[in-house]
Amino acid sequence: MKKVTMDFPDMQDYRMVEGLNQLKTNLAFCGKDIKVITMTSSVPNEGKSSVSFSLSRALAEHGRKILLVDADLRKSVMAAKYHITGIDKGLSHYLTGQAEKEEVIYETEAEGLHLAVAGPLSPDPTSLLDSELFQEFIRSVREEYDYIIIDAPPLGLVIDAVIIGKYTDGAVIVIEQGVIKRKIVQDVIKKLKRGEIRILGAVLNKVDDRIGAYGDYGHKYGYSYYGEQDAESKK
Ligand SMILES: Nc1ncnc2c1ncn2[C@@H]1O[C@H](COP(=O)(O)OP(=O)(O)OP(=O)(O)O)[C@@H](O)[C@H]1O
Ligand SMILES: [Mg+2]
């Protein structure tokens, strides 16, 4: 397996570490059969990729095998953003029959964390994801990894995250604090529920400590949890 080099997002801050630990614990309590997780949000830029990376890396500790999949086939920015070098082929190559699964999964410098990036933009991402090949990909990696974290596009714009979600065990919604209105999050919850996708939780991201209980400043990870019943009652 080929190896990539990259810059990982910084997650040394104690609030981020704390938030990620809570998220990890909640995922563990979702049960053993919850291992393929779709990360989505309402609108772009809420922090899906940052949270997906940090979560994958945190999960890869303690000898576990984790695969992070960049499934935003419309906007393949992950490679550039994290200065990932050494990638020839991405998920879109696999989904169009131009590469085998093994050719699109790379080792990273983080022990236990493997990565598949989106690859070049394809004309019809929704049909590529709603395919036997994508199902086969998920079926196969499910056998090999302890967790598969799928970084999906925001649901306010395109339906891809519901398509992806159908083949996974549930979704986590990343919400940028103070920016996203309740109604917009409720719409995302409705779309996921209509697609019969289990909502595993929500990450409240870019929490501004000035309005929190802590004395220091700046944007940090926060975490809050919606159970399925909470989501129902908020409809
Ligand atoms: N907790 C955080 N604290 C501070 N900045 C953050 C945090 N999370 C994300 N960011 C910043 O917000 C921006 C958007 O983050 P990211 O790319 O992870 O979002 P995204 O939801 O994946 O966006 P897109 O929808 O475009 O894929 C980046 O500049 C990132 O560095
Ligand atoms: Mg992203």
Side-chain angles (χ1 to χ4, degrees):
M1 187 181 281
K2 288 189 185 168
K3 193 168 181 172
V4 293
T5 60
M6 60 172 293
D7 300 338
F8 285 99
D10 181 25
M11 48 168 284
Q12 297 309 309
D13 181 273
Y14 79 98
R15 282 287 306 272
M16 287 192 193
V17 172
E18 175 67 14
L20 286 169
N21 280 339
Q22 275 180 304
L23 182 54
K24 272 189 342 188
T25 306
N26 276 314
L27 288 178
F29 275 102
C30 286
K32 243 193 149 125
D33 43 347
I34 301 295
K35 45 193 303 195
V36 190
I37 297 152
T38 303
M39 306 292 290
T40 189
S41 64
S42 314
V43 298
N45 219 40
E46 292 192 73
K48 290 175 299 300
S49 299
S50 309
V51 173
S52 299
F53 251 115
S54 302
L55 173 65
S56 302
R57 206 177 171 196
L59 285 169
E61 286 163 6
H62 315 297
R64 278 184 298 193
K65 278 190 79 183
I66 311 299
L67 177 65
L68 171 61
V69 181
D70 171 19
D72 192 343
L73 297 184
R74 293 163 196 276
K75 200 168 73 175
S76 181
V77 293
M78 191 182 264
K81 190 166 171 196
Y82 297 106
H83 304 115
I84 304 174
T85 56
I87 290 193
D88 312 316
K89 294 205 163 134
L91 190 61
S92 62
H93 286 115
Y94 166 82
L95 294 174
T96 51
Q98 299 181 72
E100 297 298 319
K101 185 200 88 195
E102 292 72 22
E103 294 177 88
V104 302
I105 296 179
Y106 292 80
E107 265 178 50
T108 69
E109 288 155 311
E111 177 89 39
L113 173 57
H114 292 176
L115 173 71
V117 301
L121 189 71
S122 45
D124 188 2
T126 311
S127 343
L128 284 188
L129 291 165
D130 204 3
S131 68
E132 182 57 40
L133 271 175
F134 186 62
Q135 274 183 71
E136 180 49 40
F137 184 89
I138 300 292
R139 258 198 301 270
S140 167
V141 292
R142 189 187 280 281
E143 304 297 313
E144 296 168 42
Y145 291 90
D146 294 305
Y147 279 106
I148 298 104
I149 306 295
I150 305 194
D151 185 5
L155 255 177
L157 303 178
V158 287
I159 202 68
D160 297 15
V162 170
I163 310 282
I164 295 166
K166 278 198 307 194
Y167 304 125
T168 69
D169 303 324
V172 170
I173 309 170
V174 177
I175 303 166
E176 181 172 354
Q177 195 205 39
V179 173
I180 305 306
K181 299 248 166 15
R182 192 189 180 98
K183 164 84 177 58
I184 297 175
V185 178
Q186 282 170 336
D187 284 348
V188 166
I189 292 172
K190 263 190 212 153
K191 282 182 188 167
L192 291 169
K193 295 220 148 248
R194 231 180 279 138
E196 295 181 2
I197 293 155
R198 181 168 166 188
I199 298 164
L200 302 171
V203 174
L204 193 61
N205 193 30
K206 306 195 197 182
V207 173
D208 192 334
D209 279 339
R210 280 169 291 189
I211 49 176
Y214 296 83
D216 54 351
Y217 285 70
H219 292 308
K220 308 287 165 57
Y221 279 95
Y223 178 79
S224 68
Y225 184 73
Y226 296 88
E228 278 168 291
Q229 282 180 350
D230 296 328
E232 279 296 331
S233 66
K234 281 179 182 147
K235 263 194 207 167

